[in-house]
């Protein structure tokens, strides 16, 4: 089913780009790309003579016919909606099959984050990385910036001689000159624009198999390689479940600096991951399983528009849990992980606008970033899992393989999925009565309440009940030793505790006793520390302010920083502190993350290149507030250590 993508100003229904030749010169001093994008095109409408591309904050220098170098007429029309950017319309001569656009990026590019040496582990050289999902590729290169348009690409990236370039493709060769290096990349599998990715910096790699390597800054490469050592095993299991081989050639991971806004990003051939996954015990590697799963669900089989984002993320969450269940050799692990996911979904529904609580999102021409949440992941997973329970595990996994085979290198809508599912199970009475419209279009929690196997969560849930009894019934403190527990068991305990205390937060004395016993406030596991920070804010625990502020200003993963900023802002103890911490550190965050936090805190985001404006407070760090927080925290910490 063809569906108009209103988040793009391109016209692929008339002229569609099919291949990109991209030459990029990375200028760290000016923090810009000087580049040329040359496209091959397919005329869907033989009479069409205008190619429309998306751009955002790009300086177009020339548009030409690469066959003879002749200049082509073009115009730029800025859209009234800032996030849609500016349409580049190019008048094509008869029969033209290629067009070349010379341009440069600006410092307002939302896809590129330039880091000074101080924000790197090595502290010697600057660093850059890109993040194009959902519609930020247009700020990096002129393109038809919509998931429904796929293209192959070749890229030639010129960087300083001290730097290494990595991309979402396969390296062809590296050329060296006196002061620069040129890296040549190719991507032969068609990809959407949001999957074009690059990073440049002082980075190195460590191979972990013939097709897998871990990239990072030199100081972290050994730690990262050990943390993600299971990547090849994940990949082999994924191939078995999908029933098709991995088609992308290389599967490498790049462990980025801490401002990366996501847990991971599924760039083909090169997954980007956050250093918050470096728990030193491989306990958070399920994120890598998720990104590997995207190699089939998302990258190969892709949602036609962002309205159908659940087809990427719901399937990938299902696929990830299948991989991890096989890693653990226990099917119950899928349900165990899904229990935590369901709790996350419940929390999300409290925050998301009603319009973005359905599986099929009515995004229209609004910003897809505003619709991004766990709904696509967890509501999508629960829908697919409900279908699996109807037809049986073996039948559904067989259907999944048929789905991947049928839609490989294609895009689809929710209706396409429904039609394919019903055709595949035609004559099977088990699929009668599926509430398609409720699942697809109604807001709120899933229309069918899932029944999960809770045998693996029993101990965690029991411990949560015991701590609630300590808090509310003056019961003695539990003596359960959790030193041997896995990270998922501990996060399950904290999730269960949060659910049981949502209407009546824990007393400070209970929190202190819990932290004295388990030392959660000093956990090196980001998932555990995040949950304990949430519980502490709910209880107005001022002794945790230093820990919370450090946590949200030392890494930029939106999964963690957005909920904590919101919770801190809504608390009595932290409203001003949340605003001040953000204004002090906003330049540390990736532009996407900074935009979303500013929205969460109800701050005015000025035009690019301008500052975030807060009408109620100074834009600088209020030293008095910080000193007060430090003094309060020091007092409490001292009292807790007595």
């Amino acid at each position: 089913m063809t569906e108009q993508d209103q988040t793009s100003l391109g016209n692929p229904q008339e002229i569609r780009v099919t291949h990109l030749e991209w030459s990029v010169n990375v200028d760290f001093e000016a923090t810009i790309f000087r580049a040329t994008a040359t496209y091959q095109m397919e005329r869907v409408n033989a009479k069409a003579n205008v190619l429309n591309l998306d751009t955002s904050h790009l300086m177009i220098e020339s548009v030409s016919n690469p066959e003879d170098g002749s200049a082509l007429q073009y115009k730029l029309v800025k859209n009234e909606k800032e996030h849609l950017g500016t349409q580049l319309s190019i008048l094509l001569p008869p029969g033209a099959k290629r067009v070349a656009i010379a341009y440069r990026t600006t410092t307002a590019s939302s896809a590129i984050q330039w880091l000074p040496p101080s924000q790197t582990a090595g502290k010697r050289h600057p660093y850059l990385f890109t993040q194009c999902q959902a519609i930020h590729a247009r700020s990096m290169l002129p393109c038809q910036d919509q998931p429904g348009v796929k293209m192959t690409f070749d890229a030639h990236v010129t960087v300083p001689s001290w730097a290494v370039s990595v991309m979402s493709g396969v390296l062809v060769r590296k050329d060296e000159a006196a002061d620069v290096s040129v890296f040549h990349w190719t991507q032969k599998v068609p990809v959407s624009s949001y999957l074009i990715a690059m990073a440049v910096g002082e980075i190195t790699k460590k191979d972990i198999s013939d097709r897998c390597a871990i990239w990072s800054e030199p100081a972290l490469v050994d730690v990262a390689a050990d943390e993600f050592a299971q990547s090849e095993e994940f990949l082999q299991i994924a191939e078995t479940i999908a029933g098709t081989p991995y088609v992308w050639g290389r599967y490498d991971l790049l462990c980025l600096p801490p401002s990366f806004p996501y847990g991971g990003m599924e760039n083909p051939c090169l997954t980007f991951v956050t250093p918050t996954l470096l728990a030193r015990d491989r306990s958070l590697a399920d994120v890598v399983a998720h990104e590997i799963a995207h190699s089939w669900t998302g990258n190969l089989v892709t949602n036609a528009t962002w309205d159908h984002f659940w087809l990427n993320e719901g399937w990938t969450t299902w696929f990830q849990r299948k991989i991890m269940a096989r890693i653990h050799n226990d099917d119950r692990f899928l349900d165990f992980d899904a229990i935590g996911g369901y709790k996350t979904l419940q929390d999300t529904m409290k925050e998301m606008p009603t319009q973005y609580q359905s599986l099929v999102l009515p995004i229209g021409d609004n910003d897809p970033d505003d619709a991004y949440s766990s709904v696509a992941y967890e509501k999508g997973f629960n829908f697919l899992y409900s279908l699996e329970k109807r037809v049986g595990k073996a039948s559904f996994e067989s259907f999944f393989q048929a789905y991947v085979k049928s839609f490989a290198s294609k895009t689809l809508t929710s209706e396409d999925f429904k039609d394919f599912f019903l055709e595949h199970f035609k004559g099977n009475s088990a699929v009668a009565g599926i509430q398609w419209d409720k699942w697809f279009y109604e807001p709120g929690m899933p229309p069918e309440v899932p029944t999960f196997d809770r045998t693996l969560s029993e101990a965690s849930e029991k411990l949560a009940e015991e701590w609630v009894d300590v808090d509310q019934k003056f019961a003695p403190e539990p003596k359960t030793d959790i030193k041997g527990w896995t990270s998922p068991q501990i996060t399950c305990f904290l999730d269960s505790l949060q659910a049981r205390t949502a209407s009546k937060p824990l007393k400070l004395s209970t929190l202190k006793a819990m932290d004295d016993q388990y030392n959660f406030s000093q956990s090196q596991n980001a998932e555990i520390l995040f949950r304990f920070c949430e519980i502490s804010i709910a209880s107005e625990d001022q002794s945790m302010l230093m820990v919370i502020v450090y946590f949200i200003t030392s890494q930029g993963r939106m999964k963690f920083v957005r909920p904590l900023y919101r919770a801190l802002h809504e608390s009595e103890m932290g409203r001003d502190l949340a605003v001040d911490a953000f204004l002090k550190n906003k330049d540390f965050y990736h532009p996407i993350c900074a935009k979303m936090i500013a929205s969460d805190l109800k701050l005015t985001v000025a035009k690019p290149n301008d500052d975030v404006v807060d009408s109620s407070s100074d834009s600088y760090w209020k030293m008095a507030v910080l000193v007060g927080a430090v003094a309060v925290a020091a007092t409490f910490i001292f009292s807790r250590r007595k």
Side-chain angles (χ1 to χ4, degrees), residues 363-427:
I363 294 175
D365 62 357
N366 294 317
D367 190 344
D369 287 346
D370 294 337
Y372 179 85
S373 76
S374 68
V375 170
Y377 298 72
E378 297 299 343
K379 193 171 184 178
F381 163 81
N382 277 280
F383 176 48
L384 295 171
Y385 199 33
S386 73
L387 297 180
E388 177 180 318
K389 289 186 174 181
R390 280 177 175 269
V391 302
K393 175 186 172 184
S395 293
F396 193 75
E397 290 186 357
S398 177
F399 162 73
F400 173 61
Q401 295 184 352
Y403 169 78
V404 170
K405 184 177 180 180
S406 179
F407 290 102
S409 293
K410 299 176 184 177
T411 65
L412 77 161
T413 67
S414 300
E415 287 297 323
D416 294 331
F417 167 78
K418 174 184 174 182
D419 292 344
F420 186 76
F421 179 87
L422 291 176
E423 179 62 28
H424 185 90
F425 289 103
K426 190 175 182 178

Side-chain angles (χ1 to χ4, degrees), residues 25 35 64 73 234 240 256 273 346 352 363 525 550 636:
N25 192 312
S64 62
Q73 295 182 37
F234 290 164
T240 300
L256 285 159
V273 292
Q346 290 174 317
M352 288 302 292
I363 294 175
N525 185 302
Y550 178 77
F636 273 73

Side-chain angles (χ1 to χ4, degrees), residues 374-605:
S374 68
V375 170
Y377 298 72
E378 297 299 343
K379 193 171 184 178
F381 163 81
N382 277 280
F383 176 48
L384 295 171
Y385 199 33
S386 73
L387 297 180
E388 177 180 318
K389 289 186 174 181
R390 280 177 175 269
V391 302
K393 175 186 172 184
S395 293
F396 193 75
E397 290 186 357
S398 177
F399 162 73
F400 173 61
Q401 295 184 352
Y403 169 78
V404 170
K405 184 177 180 180
S406 179
F407 290 102
S409 293
K410 299 176 184 177
T411 65
L412 77 161
T413 67
S414 300
E415 287 297 323
D416 294 331
F417 167 78
K418 174 184 174 182
D419 292 344
F420 186 76
F421 179 87
L422 291 176
E423 179 62 28
H424 185 90
F425 289 103
K426 190 175 182 178
N428 188 331
S429 60
V431 304
I434 297 172
Q435 302 178 79
W436 293 98
D437 285 351
K438 282 191 174 183
W439 276 105
F440 281 175
Y441 305 112
E442 287 193 2
M445 295 298 290
E448 300 173 20
V449 179
T451 53
F452 297 123
D453 184 322
R454 310 190 81 91
T455 54
L456 294 181
S457 65
E458 283 178 354
S460 300
E461 292 173 333
K462 181 176 181 293
L463 184 60
E465 289 177 3
E466 291 174 351
W467 276 104
V468 171
D469 287 343
V470 170
D471 192 69
Q472 298 178 8
K473 299 179 181 179
F474 305 101
E477 293 177 21
K479 300 301 180 185
T480 303
D481 185 359
I482 66 170
K483 288 181 180 178
W485 281 22
T486 63
S487 172
Q489 284 178 298
I490 297 173
T491 56
C492 180
F493 157 64
L494 292 171
D495 283 343
S496 183
L497 188 64
Q498 280 184 286
R500 286 167 167 77
T501 59
S503 59
K504 188 176 181 181
L506 294 173
K507 298 183 183 74
L508 295 180
S509 58
T510 306
L511 274 179
K512 179 181 181 303
M514 187 183 302
D515 197 31
D516 286 345
Q517 188 169 157
Y518 305 136
N519 211 23
F520 288 149
S521 65
Q522 297 182 42
S523 176
Q524 298 301 303
N525 185 302
E527 294 285 352
I528 293 171
L529 183 58
F530 164 63
R531 286 163 172 80
F532 192 66
C533 286
E534 284 192 307
I535 293 170
S536 299
I537 293 172
S539 296
E540 301 280 349
D541 186 356
Q542 296 184 50
S543 71
M544 281 290 292
L545 284 174
M546 286 181 67
V547 173
I548 295 164
V549 171
Y550 178 77
F551 186 52
I552 61 178
T553 58
S554 60
Q555 52 82 32
R557 187 176 176 185
M558 290 195 291
K559 175 183 179 180
F560 300 145
V561 297
R562 289 189 64 194
L564 290 177
Y565 266 114
R566 283 196 300 261
L568 201 59
H569 192 244
E570 293 167 4
S571 70
E572 292 183 9
M573 67 177 181
R575 179 176 178 82
D576 290 339
L577 189 60
V579 172
D580 295 333
F582 172 66
L583 292 174
K584 173 65 176 180
N585 294 277
K586 61 184 174 61
D587 292 336
F588 162 78
Y589 300 112
H590 187 278
I592 298 172
C593 181
K595 176 185 72 172
M596 300 312 295
I597 296 173
S599 175
D600 292 338
L601 300 184
K602 298 178 174 55
L603 303 180
T604 301
V605 181

